[in-house]
Amino acid sequence: MTTVTMTVNGKPVSENVEGRTLLSTLLRDDLRLTGTHIGCDTSQCGACVVHVNGEAVKSCTMFAIEADGAEVSTIEGQANADGSLNVIQQAFQDHHGLQCGFCTPGMVMTTASLLKENPKPTEAEVRTYLEGNICRCTGYHNIVKAIMAASGQDVSAIAAE
Amino acid sequence: MYAFDIERPTSVADAVAALKDEDAQALGGGQTLIPTLKQRLAAPSKLVSLTGIADMQGIANDGDTLRIGGATTHATVAVDTADTYPALADLASHIGDPAVRNRGTIGGSLANNDPSACYPAVALASGATIITNTREIAADDYFQGMFTTALEDGEIVTAISMPVPEKANYQKFVQPASRFALVGVFVAKFADGVRVAVTGASNEGVHRWTEAEDALSADFSAGAIAGLTVSADNLIADLHGSPEYRAHLVKVMTGRAVAAAS
Amino acid sequence: MPKDDGIGAATVRREDVRFLTGRGRYSDDIKAFGECAAVFARSTVANGTIKSINTEAAAAMPGVLAIFTGEDFVDVGGNPAGWLVNSRDGEPMKEPKRPVLAHGKVRHVGDAYAAVIAETVEQGRDAVEALEVDIEEHAAVINMKDALAGTNYVHDEIGTNQCFDWGWIEDNRAATDEAIKGAHHVTTLELVNNRLVPNAMEPRCSIGDYNHGTGDYTLQTTSQNPHLTRLLISAFVLGIPENKLTVIAPDVGGGFGSKIYHYGEEALVLAAAKKLGRTVKWTSDRSEAFLTDAHGRDHVTKIELALDEKGNFLAFRTETYANVGAYLSNFSTVTPTFLHGTLMAGNYTVPLVYVNLKAVFTNTAPVDAYRGAGRPEATFSLERVIDMAAREIGRDPIELRRQNFIKPDQYPFASAAGLEYDSGNYDALMDQMEKVSDKAGFAARRAESESKGLLRGFGVNAYVEACGIAPSNLVGILGSRVGLYDAATVRVNATGNLSVMVGAHSHGQGHETVFPQIVADMLGIDAASIDIVHGDTSKIPFGMGTYGSRSLAVCGSAVVRATEKVIAKATKIAAHMLEAEAGDVDFNDGTFSVKGTNRSVSFGEVALKAYIPHDYPIDLIEPGLEETAFYDPANFTYPSGAYCCEVEVDPETGKVRVDRMTAVDDFGNVMNPMIVTGQVHGGLGQGIGQALVEQTTYDDDGQLLSASYMDYAMPRADDLPFYVVDHSQSTVCTHNPLGAKGCGEAGAIGSPPTVVNAVIDAMQSGGKNITHIDMPMTPHRVWTAMNNAQ
């Protein structure tokens, strides 16, 4: 076992892990941050996306040891300080960008990365950026719409109720 | 996964030493290796992470050639070569997805030599040199078939030396599920000729299409390959495409790459 | 205008807050003190005889607590089919036992023959590898027609691979044959409705617990219908008394049908929990999900459409082979029959329909209901052959459909396939579709595509489906072994807020938001004061869960009935409080008042009185304010729609891109248009996925080639367009109190034929005489079709 130390959502944590312990396992099993989900075993679904040192990564495809010393943020750390939904989360609720909720944490974390890199993405840029996040419920329409809304763009012309 | 230890050396020398242990294996970004380990298809005793080695990070530009550290991520290549080698940057920016690009490394990809990966195409088409801890290997000698390279056990890809062509373009026709290349063609035009590398198509892995190179070296236009045919012999047959379809796509993608080259 | 958060309001979902902040509670998020892990040993061959399983070495491995094999379950029951289907000759279907763990033979890749319980998952995996197993491999039965012709049986004891040979409507067979023989024109099409893997993003997970002090079992599991799972485990599989088994389905990450069914893993974790006195958890990984979740579709069909010289439809005749896989999953027998054959008249006045359907065992994963369940297969066959017929006889595909549509004044309409449609207006849907899709602009868009070297096609489709399968007395006659009602309890608490316990389960559908909208509207109180309780058999009345687009039409109706009972009782209490006769008391907007006076009491005051019954007519009215209603519908509901799409095809690569997709649906009354629209979006995504990319392929040895996301293409955001969704042209369901029809499956039913029709149109526009391409229309398939047509 190796001791790893990192900050998760701003709080310092220290845990003993095996070499094979994935970052997602550390988050879910040891830290009980179960908002990070596991939807596949081939690094494709994106339900496990978290930020490590500010960059989106698939936490099921990174060893906990590799995050030693890093700053990690997860879905549990995304809301505003007063507990209210942040701009992205609020846009997902306002535009019905989630149904079963399972892929949602990864979608929100990926969106945060997208908007940091590209504050006003086009529809095509949003869709391309979501290549590594699979949703089975929404057909993506309202996810793309929510992301564009979260970036401050007017989405009223996009067909929907 | 089976149990193993992880070491995170900070120098190439330490990494090489660590890899001397029996069943030790190098770990780049892990985007292919970790899924493989999850399926218990590999049982290393130890993984030696290369991402903490500062000497293997980043991109240097010495005139006509880029030197890319083996542990440089796809995301970094996509951003840092946008001005110096736009076709490479474009290729890197379409590998996997954003989260994968933040972890996956060029050295890891080249060491794995997946027959559908993108980096082998640009390395081969650019006439790159694969630099390891012991030697320099020309791309033409390095790629030796599907998942096979000239690397010896314990040898590490520390950097890639990538000549920058006058014009280049990469066309990837994606496999609908994995989003790897069903067929990818990288065309690179140098002052002394054109190189065309094909990925995704062959049971032999990445390879050059020399007939197209000859035709394009004489006349760098999409029309120059119109009369050529690609043999379906030894091309990959799977759920997503027959050898004949792949052969067809090689020509289509080559033409598109020539037309788009800049 | 709808009231704020009442019926018809686009209220945002309250459940979103926990999902958006990582506070959802899915099964795998639950970690019990002392929990241990179940890991299954699964067959790597499709068909084999288990000669021996030696567990000795594995049992001695670190962390191993117990090992189960099929031998441990020979004395318990099998997992049954929920519907008895008889063959044309009256013979009951073949029903081989589906054991908890395979015994004697393994019958598909992934079939579990042993389970290791260990302290950790990795220790369990180590032990599974240490099992000494001798399985003699036999040739696999994969192709359905070969399966019926051969003597290699999936289940030796039944001596055939045919589960049943069903005819619908058998009495119409001769007349249908005759009509086709004498018809002016007959269009014939052979097609495949491709097998799909449901791929809810949350893999299945089951956690078993047993209390040796009380004898109580608890199962937490990824289920769409916990009461059904409890019933199956209690009555058929393990014999645990229902009152000693609680089944809880917490947050569930999508189902699409695959989580309706009881699976052996659920029984195993319960049995293991009892044996060990520990909480036992199993979480599927995606690879297991591909191999063991019930798959969907997988029909091979020949359909014929007979027309007269004017283009009137005279008869549809189909011959279909439906793959049921290696074992009968719970609804695998009703899905291809009564949810498919009964829809084979479509939206049309066609007088004759005959369906012959042979259900076939193969050495593949079980196949069962997947979003749409039988109706997509029916719609696909009908709407493809109609499109082909239109082309053959030189008619516009929309006009040919309109000519044969049931007209609004013909309802109730007895369809030739045996259903009574209660309402609809298919022409209005088609009109609206033509309008909102800007069909008029298609020619210009085609010209623009062609200028880029791309082919553009327009495809259209009409569908009618049947939701909220019912009523119980009829389905009982047809072979159902369960009732098909649902239930709700409305509990008014003393302080005036409400808990509403419902039998339906929400795993993306938004029940926690929508059901309160209904109750709030009826009671005239704030929706925020109403909470929904679902998914826990110890808390909710016996309901049948969520599938078949039934939650609103059936369970929502139960909510209405229970709320009506609450109002009736509250009115009596109010009358007492107001010293009036109950008949003189009106209830409006949360206030009870005496007609013609200004005397009134609020709903909250009545609630308090019900629980603090001082000064209460205890001899006339019981204390408390809580009512339960079971609702058994009089009929199915019949949503319908008109869809169109436009595709661009790259003729050099065969790549198809859906550029525009329009869905105009009639769902009856809509409770929450935002949620309804979202449901359609999801169905469209899955339907386009089926049409273009989703491919489930077994090789001849029964190995699943598309067994991960590396080879099974899930539609991604960049595969799909924004959709145009419209439900302005609704007709009301005539037989349930909400007038609602159900919206969950429509998108997946209406879209696949639309996309295929559009691609064929594009092919034709490119001068290719291509009349059909099987789904999924991958680039390779489209290119091959174009290449062969040259």
Side-chain angles (χ1 to χ4, degrees), chain C residues 558-578:
Chain C
V559 170
V560 171
R561 293 288 187 241
T563 306
E564 287 170 348
K565 289 187 186 178
V566 164
I567 293 170
K569 181 172 179 185
T571 301
K572 288 187 200 166
I573 299 169
H576 167 74
M577 294 168 74
L578 293 165

Side-chain angles (χ1 to χ4, degrees), chain C residues 203-473:
Chain C
R204 287 190 293 123
C205 172
S206 300
I207 306 168
D209 186 61
Y210 180 72
N211 184 326
H212 277 276
T214 62
D216 289 330
Y217 294 82
T218 304
L219 173 67
Q220 309 209 58
T221 190
T222 45
S223 176
Q224 298 176 218
N225 39 8
H227 266 117
L228 185 70
T229 297
R230 189 183 71 169
L231 180 65
L232 291 167
I233 293 172
S234 292
F236 296 94
V237 182
L238 295 181
I240 298 169
E242 272 186 282
N243 61 333
K244 303 306 280 181
L245 172 60
T246 296
V247 177
I248 301 168
D251 285 331
V252 172
F256 315 110
S258 66
K259 294 171 182 169
I260 296 172
Y261 325 114
H262 167 54
Y263 292 89
E265 291 89 353
E266 294 171 323
L268 187 286
V269 295
L270 288 170
K274 181 176 187 187
K275 178 169 179 174
L276 295 169
R278 300 268 299 266
T279 301
V280 178
K281 179 180 191 174
W282 167 73
T283 303
S284 172
D285 58 30
R286 183 58 59 187
S287 300
E288 281 181 294
F290 269 100
L291 298 176
T292 67
D293 288 0
H295 294 177
R297 315 283 192 259
D298 206 349
H299 284 196
V300 175
T301 291
K302 176 183 172 191
I303 181 164
E304 293 157 289
L305 163 59
L307 305 99
D308 70 14
E309 62 279 4
K310 292 179 181 152
N312 295 313
F313 299 166
L314 302 177
F316 289 104
R317 180 171 66 188
T318 60
E319 185 181 348
T320 289
Y321 297 84
N323 201 335
V324 292
Y327 300 100
L328 293 181
S329 179
N330 300 139
F331 293 103
S332 60
T333 52
V334 64
T335 296
T337 54
F338 293 102
L339 295 178
H340 165 246
T342 55
L343 273 303
M344 284 306 295
N347 309 50
Y348 307 105
T349 55
V350 60
L352 287 166
V353 166
Y354 181 73
V355 175
N356 175 232
L357 186 134
K358 296 178 177 71
V360 185
F361 290 107
T362 59
N363 291 120
T364 64
V367 181
D368 205 326
Y370 166 69
R371 199 171 198 165
R375 289 95 84 205
E377 295 90 319
T379 298
F380 186 73
S381 299
L382 290 169
E383 297 296 314
R384 281 293 301 124
V385 80
I386 291 169
D387 235 56
M388 183 182 264
R391 205 171 291 286
E392 286 179 358
I393 63 174
R395 291 285 303 275
D396 177 84
I398 292 178
E399 290 313 311
L400 184 64
R401 286 176 170 89
R402 284 180 183 274
Q403 176 183 331
N404 288 281
F405 274 165
I406 300 159
K407 298 300 174 191
D409 60 2
Q410 290 179 282
Y411 295 96
F413 185 86
S415 92
L419 296 176
E420 184 177 282
Y421 301 163
D422 64 333
S423 64
N425 188 342
Y426 308 144
D427 281 297
L429 295 168
M430 199 62 95
D431 292 344
Q432 184 73 358
M433 179 277 283
E434 292 195 45
K435 187 172 127 198
V436 298
S437 68
D438 183 30
K439 179 171 181 291
F442 171 71
R445 291 189 291 274
R446 172 174 273 176
E448 192 186 330
S449 296
E450 287 173 351
S451 74
K452 294 183 289 183
L454 301 172
L455 303 173
R456 193 178 192 90
F458 183 89
V460 66
N461 166 60
Y463 80 87
V464 61
E465 60 143 332
C467 296
I469 179 169
S472 293
N473 56 9

Side-chain angles (χ1 to χ4, degrees), chain B residues 2-242:
Chain B
Y2 298 109
F4 47 79
D5 297 324
I6 294 184
E7 284 191 33
R8 301 177 77 201
T10 54
S11 72
V12 171
D14 288 350
V16 169
L19 282 167
K20 290 198 189 315
D21 288 5
E22 194 175 352
D23 295 328
Q25 192 171 347
L27 170 66
Q31 302 302 287
T32 301
L33 179 58
I34 293 174
T36 306
L37 293 167
K38 286 182 189 175
Q39 299 293 327
R40 294 190 161 213
L41 297 173
S45 62
K46 178 166 74 177
L47 294 182
V48 180
S49 169
L50 306 178
T51 51
I53 301 171
D55 287 351
M56 288 176 59
Q57 293 284 351
I59 298 156
N61 179 7
D62 55 5
D64 299 333
T65 303
L66 301 178
R67 183 190 167 96
I68 305 170
T72 308
T73 63
H74 310 329
T76 299
V77 173
V79 171
D80 288 0
T81 66
D83 295 330
T84 50
Y85 192 167
L88 168 63
D90 185 61
L91 174 146
S93 72
H94 290 92
I95 299 172
D97 58 62
V100 166
R101 291 194 288 274
N102 284 332
R103 294 292 303 162
T105 65
I106 187 169
S109 174
L110 293 174
N112 190 44
N113 192 22
D114 186 299
S116 301
C118 298
Y119 269 134
V122 63
L124 188 59
S126 303
T129 301
I130 315 301
I131 302 167
T132 76
N133 52 304
T134 58
R135 57 186 172 144
E136 299 192 353
I137 311 169
D140 284 317
D141 301 324
Y142 176 84
F143 298 107
Q144 299 191 345
M146 193 181 275
F147 296 111
T148 309
T149 69
L151 291 176
E152 307 277 350
D153 278 353
E155 191 173 4
I156 298 169
V157 176
T158 56
I160 297 90
S161 175
M162 193 90 81
V164 179
E166 292 172 355
K167 287 182 166 187
N169 186 260
Y170 179 59
Q171 293 286 321
K172 173 161 69 169
F173 191 81
V174 299
Q175 194 257 57
S178 70
R179 304 300 184 101
F180 275 68
L182 185 68
V183 167
V185 178
F186 199 102
V187 172
K189 180 179 185 299
F190 290 91
D192 59 352
V194 175
R195 290 170 67 101
V196 177
V198 178
T199 188
S202 172
N203 287 317
E204 299 297 317
V206 69
H207 63 278
R208 289 169 65 183
W209 184 17
T210 51
E211 293 89 341
E213 292 180 352
D214 294 343
L216 291 167
S217 294
D219 169 15
F220 193 71
S221 74
I225 60 165
L228 302 182
T229 53
V230 179
S231 167
D233 290 350
N234 211 19
L235 297 194
I236 295 169
D238 63 14
L239 281 181
H240 310 285
S242 62

Side-chain angles (χ1 to χ4, degrees), chain C residues 481-497:
Chain C
R481 288 161 168 165
V482 291
L484 290 166
Y485 47 83
D486 218 291
T489 298
V490 175
R491 177 180 297 159
V492 183
N493 298 314
T495 53
N497 55 34

Side-chain angles (χ1 to χ4, degrees), chain C residues 75-160:
Chain C
D75 295 329
V76 305
N79 185 2
W83 200 297
L84 173 67
V85 173
N86 291 326
S87 286
R88 291 162 45 212
D89 60 7
E91 277 291 302
M93 68 189 193
K94 298 289 191 285
E95 228 177 326
K97 183 177 177 181
R98 185 182 186 190
V100 175
L101 290 172
H103 184 250
K105 274 184 95 175
V106 286
R107 295 185 172 88
H108 66 94
V109 171
D111 202 2
Y113 56 81
V116 172
I117 317 300
E119 294 290 350
T120 70
V121 170
E122 295 294 1
Q123 286 175 332
R125 288 187 180 153
D126 290 342
V128 164
E129 291 181 3
L131 290 171
E132 292 168 22
V133 182
D134 181 6
I135 295 179
E136 181 189 352
E137 185 175 1
H138 310 303
V141 179
I142 302 299
N143 176 283
M144 285 191 276
K145 290 177 186 173
D146 292 348
L148 292 182
T151 55
N152 181 12
Y153 302 127
V154 177
H155 295 272
D156 299 316
E157 68 274 21
I158 60 174
T160 174

